Short mmCIF file of all heavy atoms in Angstrom, two decimals:
data_model
loop_
_atom_site.label_atom_id
_atom_site.label_comp_id
_atom_site.label_asym_id
_atom_site.label_seq_id
_atom_site.Cartn_x
_atom_site.Cartn_y
_atom_site.Cartn_z
N ALA A 967 -16.47 -10.70 -16.54
CA ALA A 967 -17.93 -10.92 -16.59
C ALA A 967 -18.27 -12.31 -16.05
O ALA A 967 -19.38 -12.51 -15.54
CB ALA A 967 -18.43 -10.74 -17.99
N LYS A 968 -17.37 -13.27 -16.18
CA LYS A 968 -17.63 -14.67 -15.74
C LYS A 968 -17.95 -14.80 -14.29
O LYS A 968 -18.55 -15.77 -13.82
CB LYS A 968 -16.46 -15.57 -16.16
CG LYS A 968 -16.31 -15.74 -17.64
CD LYS A 968 -15.17 -16.67 -17.96
CE LYS A 968 -14.94 -16.89 -19.44
NZ LYS A 968 -13.78 -17.73 -19.77
N ILE A 969 -17.38 -13.92 -13.47
CA ILE A 969 -17.51 -14.06 -12.02
C ILE A 969 -18.54 -13.01 -11.43
O ILE A 969 -18.67 -12.88 -10.20
CB ILE A 969 -16.17 -13.95 -11.29
CG1 ILE A 969 -15.52 -12.58 -11.48
CG2 ILE A 969 -15.27 -15.04 -11.73
CD1 ILE A 969 -14.24 -12.44 -10.60
N ILE A 970 -19.21 -12.29 -12.28
CA ILE A 970 -20.23 -11.29 -11.86
C ILE A 970 -21.60 -11.89 -11.98
O ILE A 970 -22.05 -12.07 -13.09
CB ILE A 970 -20.08 -10.00 -12.65
CG1 ILE A 970 -18.69 -9.36 -12.45
CG2 ILE A 970 -21.12 -8.99 -12.17
CD1 ILE A 970 -18.40 -8.17 -13.33
N ALA A 971 -22.22 -12.20 -10.90
CA ALA A 971 -23.61 -12.76 -10.89
C ALA A 971 -24.60 -11.62 -11.15
O ALA A 971 -24.29 -10.47 -10.91
CB ALA A 971 -23.88 -13.41 -9.53
N PRO A 972 -25.76 -11.94 -11.58
CA PRO A 972 -26.81 -10.95 -11.77
C PRO A 972 -27.06 -10.01 -10.59
O PRO A 972 -27.25 -8.81 -10.75
CB PRO A 972 -28.09 -11.75 -12.16
CG PRO A 972 -27.51 -12.99 -12.77
CD PRO A 972 -26.26 -13.33 -12.03
N ILE A 973 -26.98 -10.58 -9.42
CA ILE A 973 -27.20 -9.74 -8.22
C ILE A 973 -26.07 -8.72 -8.04
O ILE A 973 -26.35 -7.62 -7.50
CB ILE A 973 -27.34 -10.62 -6.97
CG1 ILE A 973 -27.93 -9.77 -5.80
CG2 ILE A 973 -26.03 -11.28 -6.54
CD1 ILE A 973 -28.33 -10.59 -4.58
N ASN A 974 -24.89 -9.03 -8.48
CA ASN A 974 -23.74 -8.11 -8.40
C ASN A 974 -23.86 -7.01 -9.41
O ASN A 974 -23.41 -5.89 -9.25
CB ASN A 974 -22.38 -8.79 -8.62
CG ASN A 974 -22.20 -10.03 -7.75
OD1 ASN A 974 -21.80 -11.07 -8.27
ND2 ASN A 974 -22.45 -9.88 -6.45
N ALA A 975 -24.49 -7.28 -10.55
CA ALA A 975 -24.53 -6.39 -11.70
C ALA A 975 -25.35 -5.11 -11.42
O ALA A 975 -25.40 -4.16 -12.20
CB ALA A 975 -25.05 -7.10 -12.94
N GLN A 976 -26.14 -5.15 -10.32
CA GLN A 976 -26.95 -3.94 -10.00
C GLN A 976 -26.08 -2.81 -9.54
O GLN A 976 -26.51 -1.65 -9.50
CB GLN A 976 -27.91 -4.34 -8.90
CG GLN A 976 -27.32 -4.68 -7.52
CD GLN A 976 -28.34 -5.13 -6.53
OE1 GLN A 976 -29.35 -4.44 -6.32
NE2 GLN A 976 -28.16 -6.26 -5.94
N GLN A 977 -24.79 -3.09 -9.18
CA GLN A 977 -23.93 -1.96 -8.79
C GLN A 977 -23.58 -1.12 -9.98
O GLN A 977 -23.50 -1.58 -11.10
CB GLN A 977 -22.54 -2.57 -8.30
CG GLN A 977 -22.65 -3.59 -7.16
CD GLN A 977 -22.92 -2.92 -5.82
OE1 GLN A 977 -22.70 -1.73 -5.66
NE2 GLN A 977 -23.31 -3.70 -4.87
N GLU A 978 -23.48 0.18 -9.74
CA GLU A 978 -23.18 1.13 -10.82
C GLU A 978 -21.67 1.26 -10.97
O GLU A 978 -21.02 1.92 -10.11
CB GLU A 978 -23.81 2.47 -10.54
CG GLU A 978 -25.37 2.41 -10.63
CD GLU A 978 -25.99 3.81 -10.54
OE1 GLU A 978 -25.35 4.81 -10.94
OE2 GLU A 978 -27.09 3.92 -9.91
N VAL A 979 -21.14 0.67 -12.01
CA VAL A 979 -19.69 0.64 -12.23
C VAL A 979 -19.39 0.97 -13.66
O VAL A 979 -20.03 0.45 -14.57
CB VAL A 979 -19.04 -0.72 -11.88
CG1 VAL A 979 -17.55 -0.72 -12.18
CG2 VAL A 979 -19.36 -1.09 -10.42
N GLU A 980 -18.44 1.87 -13.90
CA GLU A 980 -17.94 2.13 -15.24
C GLU A 980 -16.50 1.69 -15.29
O GLU A 980 -15.66 2.13 -14.44
CB GLU A 980 -18.06 3.61 -15.58
CG GLU A 980 -17.67 3.95 -16.99
CD GLU A 980 -18.01 5.41 -17.41
OE1 GLU A 980 -18.57 6.09 -16.58
OE2 GLU A 980 -17.66 5.77 -18.51
N ILE A 981 -16.16 0.86 -16.24
CA ILE A 981 -14.78 0.32 -16.37
C ILE A 981 -14.14 0.97 -17.58
O ILE A 981 -14.61 0.94 -18.76
CB ILE A 981 -14.76 -1.20 -16.49
CG1 ILE A 981 -15.30 -1.77 -15.21
CG2 ILE A 981 -13.38 -1.71 -16.82
CD1 ILE A 981 -15.35 -3.30 -15.15
N LEU A 982 -13.01 1.68 -17.29
CA LEU A 982 -12.26 2.45 -18.32
C LEU A 982 -10.97 1.80 -18.64
O LEU A 982 -10.49 0.95 -17.93
CB LEU A 982 -12.04 3.90 -17.79
CG LEU A 982 -13.23 4.68 -17.28
CD1 LEU A 982 -12.76 5.99 -16.70
CD2 LEU A 982 -14.26 4.87 -18.37
N ALA A 983 -10.42 2.25 -19.78
CA ALA A 983 -9.08 1.77 -20.20
C ALA A 983 -8.07 2.38 -19.25
O ALA A 983 -8.10 3.56 -18.90
CB ALA A 983 -8.77 2.20 -21.61
N LEU A 984 -7.09 1.52 -18.81
CA LEU A 984 -6.06 1.97 -17.94
C LEU A 984 -5.21 3.00 -18.71
O LEU A 984 -4.77 2.80 -19.87
CB LEU A 984 -5.18 0.81 -17.56
CG LEU A 984 -4.08 1.08 -16.51
CD1 LEU A 984 -4.68 1.37 -15.15
CD2 LEU A 984 -3.12 -0.10 -16.43
N GLY A 985 -5.05 4.17 -18.08
CA GLY A 985 -4.27 5.24 -18.71
C GLY A 985 -5.06 6.34 -19.42
O GLY A 985 -4.50 7.31 -19.84
N ASP A 986 -6.41 6.19 -19.40
CA ASP A 986 -7.22 7.16 -20.16
C ASP A 986 -7.77 8.27 -19.17
O ASP A 986 -8.85 8.08 -18.63
CB ASP A 986 -8.37 6.43 -20.82
CG ASP A 986 -9.10 7.32 -21.84
OD1 ASP A 986 -8.98 8.53 -21.75
OD2 ASP A 986 -9.83 6.77 -22.68
N LEU A 987 -7.00 9.30 -19.00
CA LEU A 987 -7.42 10.38 -18.07
C LEU A 987 -8.59 11.22 -18.70
O LEU A 987 -9.42 11.71 -17.90
CB LEU A 987 -6.23 11.31 -17.82
CG LEU A 987 -5.22 10.83 -16.82
CD1 LEU A 987 -4.03 11.85 -16.74
CD2 LEU A 987 -5.80 10.62 -15.45
N GLU A 988 -8.66 11.29 -19.96
CA GLU A 988 -9.72 12.03 -20.54
C GLU A 988 -11.07 11.37 -20.26
O GLU A 988 -12.07 12.05 -19.88
CB GLU A 988 -9.51 12.14 -22.07
CG GLU A 988 -10.56 12.98 -22.81
CD GLU A 988 -10.29 13.15 -24.30
OE1 GLU A 988 -9.11 12.93 -24.66
OE2 GLU A 988 -11.21 13.45 -25.03
N ALA A 989 -11.11 10.02 -20.47
CA ALA A 989 -12.35 9.29 -20.14
C ALA A 989 -12.72 9.41 -18.67
O ALA A 989 -13.90 9.46 -18.26
CB ALA A 989 -12.20 7.87 -20.58
N LEU A 990 -11.67 9.39 -17.83
CA LEU A 990 -11.85 9.46 -16.38
C LEU A 990 -12.48 10.79 -16.01
O LEU A 990 -13.45 10.88 -15.24
CB LEU A 990 -10.54 9.21 -15.61
CG LEU A 990 -10.69 9.35 -14.08
CD1 LEU A 990 -11.63 8.28 -13.54
CD2 LEU A 990 -9.33 9.24 -13.41
N GLU A 991 -12.00 11.90 -16.54
CA GLU A 991 -12.58 13.17 -16.22
C GLU A 991 -14.03 13.28 -16.68
O GLU A 991 -14.85 13.83 -15.99
CB GLU A 991 -11.70 14.33 -16.76
CG GLU A 991 -12.28 15.69 -16.37
CD GLU A 991 -11.30 16.79 -16.27
OE1 GLU A 991 -10.23 16.73 -16.93
OE2 GLU A 991 -11.54 17.79 -15.55
N LYS A 992 -14.25 12.75 -17.82
CA LYS A 992 -15.62 12.80 -18.37
C LYS A 992 -16.56 12.03 -17.44
O LYS A 992 -17.70 12.51 -17.19
CB LYS A 992 -15.63 12.12 -19.77
CG LYS A 992 -16.98 12.19 -20.44
CD LYS A 992 -16.91 11.56 -21.87
CE LYS A 992 -18.24 11.57 -22.56
NZ LYS A 992 -18.16 11.03 -23.90
N ALA A 993 -16.13 10.88 -16.84
CA ALA A 993 -16.89 10.14 -15.90
C ALA A 993 -17.14 10.89 -14.60
O ALA A 993 -18.28 10.96 -14.09
CB ALA A 993 -16.32 8.74 -15.65
N LEU A 994 -16.06 11.47 -14.13
CA LEU A 994 -16.15 12.15 -12.78
C LEU A 994 -16.93 13.46 -12.89
O LEU A 994 -17.52 13.89 -11.86
CB LEU A 994 -14.74 12.45 -12.26
CG LEU A 994 -13.85 11.20 -11.94
CD1 LEU A 994 -12.58 11.65 -11.24
CD2 LEU A 994 -14.58 10.21 -11.12
N ALA A 995 -16.91 14.07 -14.01
CA ALA A 995 -17.61 15.38 -14.17
C ALA A 995 -19.13 15.24 -13.97
O ALA A 995 -19.79 16.28 -13.72
CB ALA A 995 -17.30 15.99 -15.52
N LYS A 996 -19.65 14.08 -14.07
CA LYS A 996 -21.12 13.86 -13.86
C LYS A 996 -21.44 13.96 -12.34
O LYS A 996 -22.61 14.00 -11.95
CB LYS A 996 -21.53 12.50 -14.37
CG LYS A 996 -21.33 12.38 -15.91
CD LYS A 996 -21.62 10.96 -16.38
CE LYS A 996 -21.26 10.78 -17.81
NZ LYS A 996 -21.39 9.37 -18.26
N ASN A 997 -20.43 13.98 -11.50
CA ASN A 997 -20.56 14.17 -10.05
C ASN A 997 -21.34 13.08 -9.32
O ASN A 997 -22.05 13.33 -8.36
CB ASN A 997 -21.14 15.55 -9.71
CG ASN A 997 -20.79 15.99 -8.33
OD1 ASN A 997 -19.74 15.70 -7.83
ND2 ASN A 997 -21.76 16.72 -7.65
N ASP A 998 -21.32 11.84 -9.88
CA ASP A 998 -22.07 10.79 -9.21
C ASP A 998 -21.16 9.59 -8.78
O ASP A 998 -21.57 8.53 -8.42
CB ASP A 998 -23.15 10.22 -10.15
CG ASP A 998 -22.69 9.67 -11.47
OD1 ASP A 998 -21.48 9.85 -11.79
OD2 ASP A 998 -23.49 9.12 -12.24
N VAL A 999 -19.80 9.81 -8.97
CA VAL A 999 -18.83 8.74 -8.67
C VAL A 999 -18.31 8.87 -7.21
O VAL A 999 -17.72 9.88 -6.87
CB VAL A 999 -17.65 8.76 -9.68
CG1 VAL A 999 -16.63 7.74 -9.31
CG2 VAL A 999 -18.14 8.56 -11.08
N CYS A 1000 -18.55 7.85 -6.47
CA CYS A 1000 -18.05 7.86 -5.09
C CYS A 1000 -16.57 7.51 -5.01
O CYS A 1000 -15.86 8.01 -4.12
CB CYS A 1000 -18.85 6.91 -4.18
SG CYS A 1000 -18.61 5.18 -4.46
#
């Protein structure tokens, strides 16, 4: 967070725990992840 300026924060990003496939599928199932 220390290197993310307010202008960068407008990007739509979800940060997940490394190794969590269940959370990843839940995120991808929304069909908005490029």
Side-chain angles (χ1 to χ4, degrees):
K968 292 180 181 178
I969 64 172
I970 300 174
I973 195 171
N974 308 131
Q976 66 185 309
Q977 304 282 345
E978 292 186 32
V979 178
E980 185 172 357
I981 294 181
L982 306 177
L984 189 68
D986 193 342
L987 282 176
E988 185 178 338
L990 179 61
E991 180 152 27
K992 185 177 179 181
L994 296 188
K996 297 173 186 175
N997 202 34
D998 59 352
V999 176
C1000 70

